[in-house]
């Protein structure tokens, strides 16, 4: 097995998750028991939302996995790397990307594969050998399919491979993806997984350092997306075999230094974390095939000289400390928030036990004004969100129009990075002409996707700034909300807020932290932070704008190539004259012809798709509005119900004051003990 120390450390991280999950669930159960007991005592305190939050946090930790997404161009050794990572040949490692499926590897007590389809067919379960035999085709057939831009299994979505391996048992899930130069549709499928993964493992080749496709992918899809990137430079051991004299140590050192420098030039900007240069912790020279060979022949091999131990050490550090630390911090914050809510509610309930039913009814009537004010603050903030949404949607649509119309101006410069190598002889050969045209069309599709990815990124940054401004505005509403709550508590219990065994001023209670959370649902993921809500938000936002990009790309390609036929190109080339039939002239003629057809589509496209942009932006704000409004409504409802429940109990039962105070204090103590256990687990 690969590097037992990594498995042990990840197992310890999994244990910490489990222990914290148990502590959170115990806190939730304590609240459930207290609410049930309250029905025959002083009444429920309205802890439904806290119970749900604690239960959800517990379940997410208990079911949590470390999800690793493996990216890389064709023939980079992704499958070999994964096999080396697992310590066993699980995936076939010599498969063309046209036949490879997006594959999720996870732990299972038995080896089996479940193939999922894109239609309503029931997933198909099979053994690993059958999977490899069924979904692998000869290399020449794979090449033919790739040239025709077809896939071997168009009706298949992905496969889930379950394997009883120690590394997977620690909670690791590995997603093996098709190549970067596969179809753009497949690329989009891969992008859907990006924002649910903990780390991206980008496999590159020492023999083909930082190709145009790789740089394009990094720039368009991974840069400044808040993703944790690791780069694996595979085939490092092959540098020696490429030398004239493989035994020339000085030449080998010079060749390796040159490669290191080249990779650092292109990858350094992707290895900055919180402003710090983490290049040495994120880029690794490895020899995956050698690592796999060592493990197959000697399962206890230490893998020295393959680069795998160094990579695994850093990956373990990252998953077990940085990412797990963020998860545990979020869980601890959830527990602290619940404890504060409970402490606040108990602090109000204890003094109110001294009031009889008529006194309590009068106090409830007296604070109706404050309840109305809380609802008004909610409505005012909701109006602000909607006004911001309308303004941002219109501005983004206008900028989209301008961006699309400007594509004509920058077409020749931008298209250079995407166009194929144009071969006149290939074009003149009737048998190759359709293949040439398909290649050119695919290059145009890449260009369009590149330009729309750039627009998507700019739009995202702009909306992120708008949310930051909205967050700053929310602070004023939060302060008003706090002031109203303070006034309400003053009417209800005066200065007799009971916390712990003391009575103290309401101003000393930590309500501000609780209320602040109501107005801080704005997604931190827009700024690269990790939180449970931010992951949800990132998917909403990415889905909205990515959908626009896909629709626009398909529309542009359809419009342009409905007029851009082989005959148009043939006439254009024919007008050049036989004596001038040279690659550069052919290239320029193709560009000019494409540009003319392209320019015709832009005004229509900009007008047609602007409403789609408006709706995409509005969906982002609607999601945020729903989250914030739900939080505030729940808070108002909980404050009202705890008073109404107490009144109903006082009108129906004789409440034994001392017994009830003891019950409530016991609940507070149990939650405090849970917080102590969580803090101890976090500090392990």
């Amino acid at each position: 097995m690969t590097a037992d120390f990594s498995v042990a450390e990840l197992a310890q991280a999994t244990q910490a998750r489990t222990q914290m999950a148990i502590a959170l669930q115990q806190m939730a159960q304590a609240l459930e028991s207290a609410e049930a007991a309250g029905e025959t005592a002083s009444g429920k305190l309205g802890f439904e939302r806290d119970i749900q939050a604690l239960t959800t946090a517990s379940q997410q930790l208990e079911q949590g996995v470390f999800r690793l997404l493996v990216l890389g161009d064709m023939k980079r050794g992704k499958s070999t790397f994964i096999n080396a990572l697992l310590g066993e040949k699980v995936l076939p490692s010599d498969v063309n990307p046209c036949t490879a499926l997006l594959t999720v590897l996870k732990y299972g007590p038995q080896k089996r594969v479940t193939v999922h389809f894109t239609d309503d067919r029931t997933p198909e379960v099979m053994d690993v050998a059958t999977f490899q035999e069924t979904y692998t085709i000869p290399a020449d057939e794979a090449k033919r399919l790739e040239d025709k831009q077809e896939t071997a299994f168009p009706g298949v979505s992905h496969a889930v491979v379950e394997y009883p391996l120690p590394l997977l048992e620690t909670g690791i899930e590995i997603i093996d993806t098709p190549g970067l130069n596969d179809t753009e549709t497949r690329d989009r499928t891969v992008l859907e997984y990006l924002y649910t993964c903990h780390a991206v493992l980008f496999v590159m080749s020492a023999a083909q350092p930082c190709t145009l496709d790789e740089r394009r992918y990094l720039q368009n899809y991974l840069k400044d997306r808040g993703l944790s990137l690791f780069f694996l430079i595979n085939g490092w051991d092959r540098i020696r075999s490429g030398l004239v004299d493989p035994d020339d140590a000085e030449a080998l050192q010079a060749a390796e230094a040159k490669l290191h420098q080249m990779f650092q030039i292109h990858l350094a900007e992707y290895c900055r974390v919180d402003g710090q240069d983490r290049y040495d912790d994120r880029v690794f020279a490895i020899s995956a095939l050698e690592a796999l060979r060592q493990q197959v022949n000697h399962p206890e091999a230490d893998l020295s000289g393959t680069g795998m131990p160094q990579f695994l050490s850093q990956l373990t550090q990252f998953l077990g400390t940085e990412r797990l630390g963020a998860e545990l911090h979020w869980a601890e914050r959830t527990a602290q928030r619940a404890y504060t809510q409970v402490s606040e509610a108990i602090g109000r309930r204890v003094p109110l036990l001294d009031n009889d039913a008529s006194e309590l009814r009068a106090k409830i009537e007296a604070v109706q004004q404050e309840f109305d004010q809380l609802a008004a603050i909610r409505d005012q903030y909701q109006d602000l969100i909607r006004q911001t949404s309308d303004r941002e949607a219109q501005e983004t649509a206008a900028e989209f129009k301008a961006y699309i119309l400007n594509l004509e101006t920058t077409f020749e410069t931008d298209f250079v990075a995407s166009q194929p190598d144009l071969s006149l002889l290939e074009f003149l050969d009737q048998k190759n002409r359709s293949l040439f045209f398909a290649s050119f069309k695919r290059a145009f599709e890449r260009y369009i996707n590149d330009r729309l990815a750039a627009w998507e990124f700019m739009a995202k940054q702009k909306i992120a700034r708008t949310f930051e401004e909205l967050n700053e505005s929310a602070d004023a509403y939060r302060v008003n909300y706090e002031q109203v709550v303070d006034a309400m508590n003053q009417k209800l219990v005066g200065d007799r807020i009971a916390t712990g065994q003391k009575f103290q001023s309401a101003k000393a209670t930590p309500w501000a932290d609780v209320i602040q959370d109501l107005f801080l649902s704005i997604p931190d993921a827009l700024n690269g932070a990790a939180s449970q809500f931010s992951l949800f938000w990132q998917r909403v936002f990415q889905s909205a704008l990515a959908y626009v990009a896909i629709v626009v790309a398909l529309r542009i390609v359809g419009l342009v190539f409905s007029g851009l036929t082989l005959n148009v190109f043939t006439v254009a080339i024919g007008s050049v004259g036989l004596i001038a039939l040279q690659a550069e002239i052919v290239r320029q003629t193709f560009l000019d012809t494409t540009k003319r057809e392209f320019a015709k589509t832009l005004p229509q496209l900009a007008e047609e798709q602007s409403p789609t942009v408006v709706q995409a932006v509005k969906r982002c704000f609607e999601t945020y509005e729903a989250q914030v409004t739900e939080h505030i409504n729940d808070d108002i409802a909980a404050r009202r119900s705890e008073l109404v429940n107490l009144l109903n109990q006082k009108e129906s039962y004789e409440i034994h004051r001392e017994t009830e105070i003891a019950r409530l204090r016991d609940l507070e103590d149990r939650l405090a003990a849970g917080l102590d256990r969580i803090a101890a687990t976090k500090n392990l």
Side-chain angles (χ1 to χ4, degrees):
M1 178 57 220
T2 304
D4 289 338
F5 68 90
S6 299
V7 174
E9 290 187 17
L10 289 174
Q12 185 177 2
T14 300
Q15 183 181 10
R17 267 178 168 164
T18 301
Q19 290 177 353
M20 187 169 285
I22 292 172
L24 289 168
Q25 190 58 43
Q26 288 174 342
M27 292 179 69
Q29 291 170 350
L31 290 181
E32 288 178 335
S33 298
E35 289 290 79
E39 292 181 350
T40 56
S42 64
K44 292 184 176 182
L45 284 163
F47 295 146
E48 289 82 0
R49 186 175 185 85
D50 301 294
I51 293 170
Q52 182 60 48
L54 290 168
T55 301
T56 299
S58 175
Q59 291 173 347
Q60 288 177 340
L61 284 175
E62 185 67 33
Q63 300 170 5
V65 296
F66 292 120
R67 187 170 289 113
L68 309 179
L69 181 70
V70 182
L71 291 175
D73 212 339
M74 58 183 296
K75 299 187 183 302
R76 293 300 185 265
K78 294 193 304 295
S79 296
T80 302
F81 162 71
I82 292 173
N83 289 335
L85 190 65
L86 297 174
E88 187 172 330
K89 191 173 181 180
V90 177
L91 297 176
S93 55
D94 188 23
V95 181
N96 188 284
C98 286
T99 63
L101 303 178
L102 189 144
T103 306
V104 180
L105 291 96
K106 60 190 296 185
Y107 178 78
Q110 296 180 338
K111 300 177 183 179
R112 69 173 188 174
V113 181
T114 304
V115 177
H116 296 261
F117 302 97
T118 56
D119 51 28
D120 296 332
R121 280 181 288 173
T122 302
E124 184 179 357
V125 179
M126 62 189 70
D127 58 43
V128 175
T130 302
F131 170 68
Q132 294 180 350
E133 179 180 353
T134 305
Y135 292 97
T136 301
I137 62 176
D140 56 348
E141 176 67 7
K143 182 65 169 64
R144 187 186 68 80
L145 289 169
E146 181 182 15
D147 290 341
K148 294 175 64 177
Q149 288 188 269
E150 297 178 358
T151 59
F153 312 106
V156 178
S157 169
H158 65 283
V160 176
V161 178
E162 296 177 66
Y163 236 80
L165 293 174
L167 186 66
L168 299 178
E169 193 172 9
T170 65
I172 292 282
E173 281 189 5
I174 300 172
I175 302 172
D176 184 22
T177 65
L180 302 183
N181 60 351
D182 207 343
T183 65
E184 296 297 335
T185 301
R186 278 238 179 125
D187 278 349
R188 284 290 177 182
T189 302
V190 172
L191 293 178
E192 294 176 3
Y193 285 83
L194 278 176
Y195 298 100
T196 62
C197 70
H198 291 82
V200 174
L201 311 184
F202 201 109
V203 182
M204 309 179 87
S205 172
Q208 295 177 283
C210 297
T211 64
L212 179 61
D213 276 334
E214 289 169 338
R215 298 199 302 272
R216 165 186 173 266
Y217 203 93
L218 287 168
Q219 175 70 30
N220 290 341
Y221 301 128
L222 301 182
K223 185 178 181 180
D224 296 329
R225 302 287 177 133
L227 301 168
S228 299
L229 302 176
F230 288 80
F231 296 94
L232 292 310
I233 316 303
N234 194 22
W236 199 259
D237 53 333
R238 298 175 189 171
I239 299 174
R240 179 186 297 274
S241 62
L243 299 177
V244 175
D245 181 3
D247 296 325
D248 188 338
E250 185 174 339
L252 177 61
Q253 184 178 8
E256 290 182 337
K258 184 178 180 180
L259 271 180
H260 276 302
Q261 183 180 23
M262 185 178 298
F263 279 110
Q264 186 154 14
I265 289 172
H266 291 295
L267 302 182
E269 63 178 311
Y270 301 98
C271 299
R272 299 194 66 82
V273 181
D274 298 329
Q276 297 182 349
D277 181 7
R278 300 287 296 277
Y279 184 86
D280 292 339
D281 299 334
R282 293 292 187 265
V283 181
F284 300 89
I286 67 168
S287 302
L289 182 58
E290 176 59 25
L292 181 59
R293 284 171 176 167
Q294 287 188 26
Q295 292 177 92
V296 170
N297 295 325
H298 305 285
E300 303 303 321
D302 62 8
L303 306 186
S304 58
T306 67
M308 290 294 288
Q310 292 83 353
F311 161 67
L312 283 170
S313 177
Q314 285 298 327
L315 180 65
T316 301
Q317 170 71 16
F318 169 76
L319 293 176
T321 302
E322 295 180 35
R323 290 310 299 250
L324 179 64
E327 288 185 22
L328 297 185
H329 175 74
W330 168 78
E332 183 181 36
R333 178 73 181 274
T334 301
Q336 289 173 337
R337 186 162 51 241
Y339 175 79
T340 302
Q341 290 275 44
V342 171
S343 181
E344 174 197 343
I346 292 175
R348 287 192 300 270
R349 174 61 58 88
V350 171
L352 290 175
L353 292 175
D354 293 334
N355 299 133
D356 60 27
S358 61
E359 291 172 332
L360 182 58
R361 188 180 301 106
K363 287 187 174 183
I364 293 175
E365 292 174 358
V367 297
Q368 182 57 47
Q369 179 182 356
E370 279 69 28
F371 277 116
D372 293 341
Q373 290 174 356
L374 294 181
I377 292 171
R378 174 205 61 204
D379 294 342
Q380 291 165 10
Y381 190 56
Q382 191 175 49
D383 288 341
L384 175 64
I385 296 171
R386 292 176 178 177
Q387 292 168 11
T388 303
S389 173
D390 291 340
R391 184 191 71 242
E392 190 66 26
Q394 295 302 322
E395 289 180 0
T396 303
E399 291 169 358
F400 170 78
K401 279 186 179 181
Y403 182 87
I404 292 296
L405 294 175
N406 192 54
L407 289 178
E408 179 185 0
T409 304
T410 61
F411 175 75
E412 291 190 40
T413 302
D414 293 338
F415 187 63
V416 168
S418 302
Q419 66 177 299
D421 295 329
L422 301 181
S423 169
L424 174 63
L425 293 178
E426 187 175 83
F427 179 77
L428 292 179
D429 186 342
Q430 187 67 37
K431 292 184 295 184
N432 292 330
R433 188 170 296 178
S434 60
L435 180 61
F436 176 85
F437 187 69
S439 176
F440 186 84
K441 181 179 178 182
R442 186 175 183 191
F444 186 80
E445 292 172 347
R446 284 182 177 274
Y447 156 74
I448 290 299
N449 278 283
D450 287 353
R451 293 304 89 215
L452 291 174
W455 167 78
E456 180 187 330
F457 179 76
M458 291 187 293
K460 180 177 177 179
Q461 296 303 306
K462 181 178 183 298
I463 295 178
R465 291 191 294 271
T466 301
F467 271 113
E468 290 174 358
E469 295 169 1
L470 194 59
N471 196 6
E472 293 174 0
S473 300
D475 194 58
Y477 291 90
R478 176 181 58 80
V479 170
N480 291 339
Y481 199 97
E482 291 174 15
Q483 292 173 346
V484 173
V485 169
D486 283 343
M488 179 186 296
N489 287 318
Q490 189 67 27
K491 285 185 178 181
L492 290 172
V493 296
D495 292 330
R496 298 180 65 242
I497 298 296
T499 57
Q501 300 301 317
K502 301 178 180 179
F503 290 92
Q504 56 188 27
S505 169
K507 296 293 183 181
T509 61
W511 294 342
D513 290 339
V514 174
I515 296 172
Q516 185 178 26
D517 287 330
L518 298 176
F519 291 93
L520 290 184
S521 298
I522 293 176
D524 293 336
L526 293 173
N527 301 316
S531 70
Q532 296 299 316
F533 180 72
S534 67
L535 291 175
F536 165 75
W537 170 262
Q538 187 73 283
R539 289 193 291 271
V540 170
F541 190 94
Q542 191 67 25
S543 174
L545 291 189
Y547 173 77
V548 174
I550 292 172
V551 169
V552 174
L554 293 174
R555 183 67 172 144
I556 288 179
V557 173
L559 288 172
V560 171
F561 281 82
S562 64
L564 200 61
T565 64
L566 277 173
N567 290 333
V568 171
F569 278 141
T570 303
V571 172
I573 296 300
S575 67
V576 173
L578 290 176
I579 200 168
L581 289 178
Q582 300 173 4
E584 176 57 28
I585 296 178
V586 174
R587 186 191 71 83
Q588 191 59 50
T589 303
F590 266 72
L591 284 178
D592 292 343
T593 307
T594 305
K595 182 178 178 180
R596 284 197 303 272
E597 294 298 321
F598 183 39
K600 294 177 186 178
T601 71
L602 296 180
Q604 176 186 351
L605 181 88
E607 195 64 36
E608 283 181 352
Q609 298 304 321
S610 290
T612 307
V613 175
V614 169
Q615 292 304 313
V617 175
K618 284 190 173 183
R619 280 201 301 273
C620 299
F621 285 90
E622 288 168 358
T623 301
Y624 169 66
E625 177 190 338
Q627 291 283 327
V628 173
T629 303
E630 180 184 3
H631 284 198
I632 298 174
N633 284 341
D634 286 347
D635 182 74
I636 294 173
R639 293 177 185 278
R640 188 186 299 275
S641 66
E642 73 174 65
L643 296 174
V644 173
N645 290 341
L646 176 59
L647 176 61
N648 291 338
Q649 295 300 95
K650 280 186 173 288
E651 291 177 337
S652 304
Y653 302 98
E654 179 68 29
I655 300 173
H656 191 284
R657 181 180 183 280
E658 297 304 322
T659 301
E660 182 62 359
I661 290 176
R663 183 182 73 86
L664 295 174
R665 292 292 175 229
D666 177 67
L667 171 62
E668 200 169 8
D669 290 343
R670 291 172 66 187
L671 294 187
L675 274 180
D676 289 341
R677 287 193 295 273
I678 287 172
T681 299
K682 184 182 175 185
N683 294 328
L684 285 178

